[in-house]
Structures are given as structure tokens and as C-alpha cells.
């Protein structure tokens, strides 16, 4: 009987490593039984994905698994993802970050699965100058004084991360290529000032006292969800004024207002100017095409010749 030809093993090494990089680390390791060619291929894959891939994965001692993989791995590590793994300590992650920080890391994901305490990110994180994408969940950031910036960072997502206004502003302003910023329920942010000339997409969820986007005038997609008790008010025009390249705006969960002296008369009232009341607060965009307002009180005119989609709920 003829033996089936193993054509997959004849693929170039680069292709095999690319295939393995799409798998979780457990799946990649299992390929070592396929043939002699595959026996050690997984030890040099550039992307290490430590992700619970079965129900039983949550009972694994992941600290031992990660230690074993890193001790056997050789070559660059472009992606390192710790996605809701358990049975590992802050000290474990500190050690792993110290290792990958010197291996050309570009994509970093840490979801610290701990219901009590966030993971205080090791200072070596701030020395990862090759980072392109960062996704942190349930962490705490404490910036070292010698931070020099992330010159290649394009994507930053912080979920339930504890940090200060100053740390956030410093990271963003010292990441000159940052295009996409997401902040979800971050602790410690009050007076948020975003200075990012390259920033195109900004999504903000949570409670804050002030938002200043005057240093990020190239934003195209803006999503703001203010998660408070509904008693706060926000001057919408103050937030988006100057964002002339804005194409999509979504605001949810709070009151957006104009001061009383600017509240417009009903449409068609010809005595608006003579009454001493200033014209309605109008914001004009040239490329604006999508507006989504949910659970808000809105008193503002948004003008654009290109609006294609308007969605409102509880306005």
C-alpha cells in the first residue's frame, strides 16, 4: 500500500511558523507528533498564545507551562499573549515580561485573571521599544522615570487598568504613531487630556471629570460612554470642537448641553438675534457620516453634508 505523501511538511519553514503562530501554545505543541520536521518547530514560533482552549485548561498550572515554553524557545518573540490564564502570580508575569522585552516583542496581551488584585506591570514593559499593539486588562501601570516612549506603538487598549492622568497623557504623547486608543473602566482617570497627532480612533468608557481632545485633531472615530448616575452634564461642542476630520461620533449615557445663554429659540423665530440670545451652538464637519446618540439629552446642532447614518435611543 502506497504511503500518503506528506506535502505539508515540505512547506517552507516561514510558512510552517506562520501556521503555528495562529494556534494556541497547546495546539502548537501537539504538532510535534506529526513528523520529525514538526518535532521542534513550535519552539521557534514568533507568536506565543497562552489561551485556555478547553474547559480543562482552567485547571492547568499555567505558570509551569509558560516557564517550560520560554525555556525551550529560541529566536524572536513578536507576540506574547496571556489571555485569562490562572494559577500564575505577579512574580511569574514579571519574569516572563523581562524575557520577552528583549526578544523583539511587538504584540502584547495581558489579561490578569484575578478577582481581587490587579497586576502591577513590570517596569521592563516600558522598555519594550518595539511594541506595536498593547492590550492590558486588570492591570496597574506605574511609569518609571526613564520612560522614553513607544515609537512604534499604533494600538493601545486598557481595560479596568489603574493609572493616573499623567501616565496616560505621557504614554499617548510619547507614542507618536498611535492610531487607535481604547479606555474601558480605567481607575484613576479624572481629567483626561489626549495629545496624539496621529490618533484616528478613540473609544472611552467610564467616569471622568474632564476630557480634552484639543491635542488630537485628526480623530475620525470617537465613541464616548460616560458611565455615571446620569446627573452630570457635558458641553459637547467643547469636546469635539476642532475635530474637523471627525467621521463617526457615538455618545452614550450622559447629558450633553450648551450653557443657558446659548440655548436657541424655536426654529423660525426671527427675533433670536434681537432678543440678545446668541445663535444655536453649531458644530460643522466636512466628512461626518455617522451619528449615534443613546441615553443622552442633546442640545447641539451637528451639521454635515455627508451624514449617512443616524441612530438615536432615549435621546
Amino acid at each position: 500500500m502506497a504511503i500518503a505523501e506528506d506535502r505539508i511538511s515540505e512547506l517552507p519553514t516561514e510558512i510552517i511558523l506562520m501556521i503555528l503562530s495562529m494556534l494556541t501554545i497547546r495546539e502548537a505543541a501537539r504538532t510535534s507528533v506529526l513528523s520529525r520536521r514538526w518535532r521542534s518547530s513550535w519552539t521557534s514560533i514568533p507568536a506565543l498564545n497562552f489561551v485556555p482552549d478547553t474547559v480543562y485548561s482552567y485547571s492547568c498550572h499555567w505558570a509551569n507551562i509558560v516557564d517550560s515554553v520560554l525555556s525551550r524557545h529560541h529566536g524572536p518573540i513578536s507576540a506574547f499573549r496571556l489571555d485569562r490564564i490562572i494559577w500564575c502570580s505577579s512574580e511569574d508575569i514579571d519574569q516572563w515580561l523581562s524575557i520577552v522585552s528583549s526578544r523583539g516583542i511587538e504584540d502584547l496581551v495581558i489579561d490578569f485573571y484575578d478577582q481581587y488584585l490587579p497586576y502591577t506591570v513590570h517596569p521592563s514593559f516600558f522598555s519594550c521599544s518595539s511594541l506595536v499593539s498593547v492590550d492590558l486588562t486588570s492591570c496597574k501601570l506605574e511609569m518609571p522615570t526613564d520612560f522614553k516612549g513607544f515609537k512604534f506603538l499604533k494600538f493601545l487598549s486598557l481595560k479596568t487598568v489603574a493609572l493616573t492622568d499623567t501616565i496616560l497623557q505621557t504614554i499617548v504623547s510619547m507614542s507618536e504613531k498611535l492610531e487607535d486608543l481604547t479606555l474601558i473602566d480605567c481607575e484613576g482617570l479624572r481629567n483626561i487630556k489626549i495629545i496624539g497627532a496621529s490618533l484616528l480612533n478613540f473609544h472611552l468608557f467610564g467616569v471622568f471629570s474632564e476630557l480634552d481632545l484639543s491635542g488630537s485633531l485628526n480623530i475620525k472615530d470617537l465613541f464616548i460612554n460616560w458611565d455615571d448616575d446620569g446627573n452630570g452634564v457635558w458641553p459637547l461642542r467643547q469636546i469635539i470642537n476642532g475635530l474637523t476630520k471627525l467621521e463617526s461620533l457615538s455618545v452614550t449615557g450622559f447629558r450633553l448641553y450648551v450653557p443657558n445663554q446659548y440655548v436657541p429659540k424655536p426654529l423660525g423665530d426671527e427675533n433670536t438675534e434681537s432678543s440678545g440670545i446668541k445663535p444655536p451652538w453649531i458644530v460643522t464637519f466636512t466628512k461626518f457620516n455617522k451619528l449615534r446618540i443613546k441615553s443622552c439629552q442633546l442640545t447641539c446642532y451637528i451639521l454635515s453634508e455627508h451624514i449617512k447614518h443616524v441612530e438615536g435611543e432615549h435621546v
Side-chain angles (χ1 to χ4, degrees):
M1 188 172 92
I3 299 177
E5 183 178 3
D6 182 7
R7 302 184 65 179
I8 295 181
S9 294
E10 295 178 358
L11 292 171
T13 300
E14 294 76 12
I15 301 298
I16 291 179
L17 293 179
M18 183 176 67
I19 294 173
L20 292 176
S21 293
M22 298 178 182
L23 307 176
T24 66
I25 195 64
R26 286 158 56 92
E27 294 169 334
R30 291 192 188 106
T31 63
S32 62
V33 303
L34 295 178
S35 71
R36 182 177 299 177
R37 172 79 186 281
W38 291 79
R39 185 170 301 170
S40 60
S41 293
W42 70 273
T43 63
S44 57
I45 56 177
L48 300 179
N49 302 309
F50 298 96
V51 180
D53 48 8
T54 68
V55 175
Y56 304 103
S57 298
Y58 290 96
S59 62
C60 294
H61 289 277
W62 280 99
N64 295 335
I65 294 174
V66 179
D67 285 340
S68 177
V69 169
L70 289 177
S71 66
R72 301 176 63 181
H73 190 277
H74 53 87
I77 300 176
S78 62
F80 187 72
R81 304 184 182 101
L82 300 174
D83 191 356
R84 297 183 68 81
I85 67 173
I86 56 178
W87 302 109
C88 65
S89 65
S90 297
E91 291 74 18
D92 291 325
I93 303 180
D94 286 347
Q95 179 182 347
W96 303 334
L97 269 182
S98 297
I99 294 174
V100 302
S101 63
S102 61
R103 304 281 284 275
I105 183 73
E106 297 180 2
D107 182 3
L108 177 65
V109 177
I110 298 179
D111 187 343
F112 193 62
Y113 190 79
D114 191 315
Q115 58 180 330
Y116 300 112
L117 297 174
Y119 163 61
T120 301
V121 178
H122 192 264
S124 60
F125 161 74
F126 291 95
S127 65
C128 297
S129 59
S130 55
L131 281 170
V132 176
S133 177
V134 172
D135 187 339
L136 302 179
T137 302
S138 300
C139 295
K140 181 179 181 181
L141 292 178
E142 296 180 350
M143 180 180 295
T145 56
D146 59 348
F147 176 59
K148 295 180 174 60
F150 297 125
K151 60 182 179 180
F152 298 111
L153 188 65
K154 290 187 176 181
F155 306 95
L156 177 60
S157 176
L158 304 177
K159 307 181 188 75
T160 61
V161 170
L163 73 166
T164 65
D165 296 324
T166 300
I167 291 178
L168 175 63
Q169 182 177 335
T170 302
I171 291 177
V172 174
S173 63
M174 296 183 69
S175 302
E176 57 186 26
K177 294 186 178 181
L178 187 65
E179 298 179 357
D180 194 297
L181 175 61
T182 298
L183 305 173
I184 299 178
D185 296 332
C186 289
E187 180 182 347
L189 297 180
R190 294 295 180 266
N191 301 310
I192 302 174
K193 187 174 184 178
I194 304 298
I195 302 175
S198 298
L199 192 63
L200 302 178
N201 308 301
F202 180 40
H203 291 193
L204 173 62
F205 300 73
V207 180
F208 46 90
S209 300
E210 183 179 346
L211 176 60
D212 183 355
L213 299 178
S214 60
S216 304
L217 300 182
N218 290 313
I219 292 178
K220 293 183 178 181
D221 177 24
L222 178 60
F223 189 111
I224 307 175
N225 185 326
W226 197 48
D227 186 14
D228 201 4
D229 57 11
N231 295 323
V233 292
W234 267 98
L236 177 62
R237 185 180 184 276
Q238 178 178 322
I239 299 175
I240 63 178
N241 190 38
L243 303 182
T244 58
K245 298 182 180 180
L246 196 64
E247 297 179 6
S248 175
L249 171 65
S250 297
V251 287
T252 304
F254 54 89
R255 293 173 56 194
L256 303 168
Y257 84 110
V258 296
N260 290 334
Q261 66 266 32
Y262 294 111
V263 174
K265 288 280 188 176
L267 293 178
D269 191 332
E270 298 179 355
N271 297 320
T272 299
E273 294 185 3
S274 61
S275 65
I277 299 179
K278 296 183 179 180
W281 208 332
I282 298 176
V283 184
T284 305
F285 302 98
T286 57
K287 298 182 179 180
F288 196 81
N289 60 59
K290 183 178 180 181
L291 173 63
R292 179 176 180 268
I293 305 292
K294 183 178 180 181
S295 301
C296 295
Q297 295 181 17
L298 179 66
T299 311
C300 178
Y301 287 123
I302 297 178
L303 303 181
S304 176
E305 298 177 354
H306 305 283
I307 292 183
K308 299 178 181 178
H309 180 79
V310 177
E311 179 181 340
E313 182 177 344
H314 308 305
V315 179

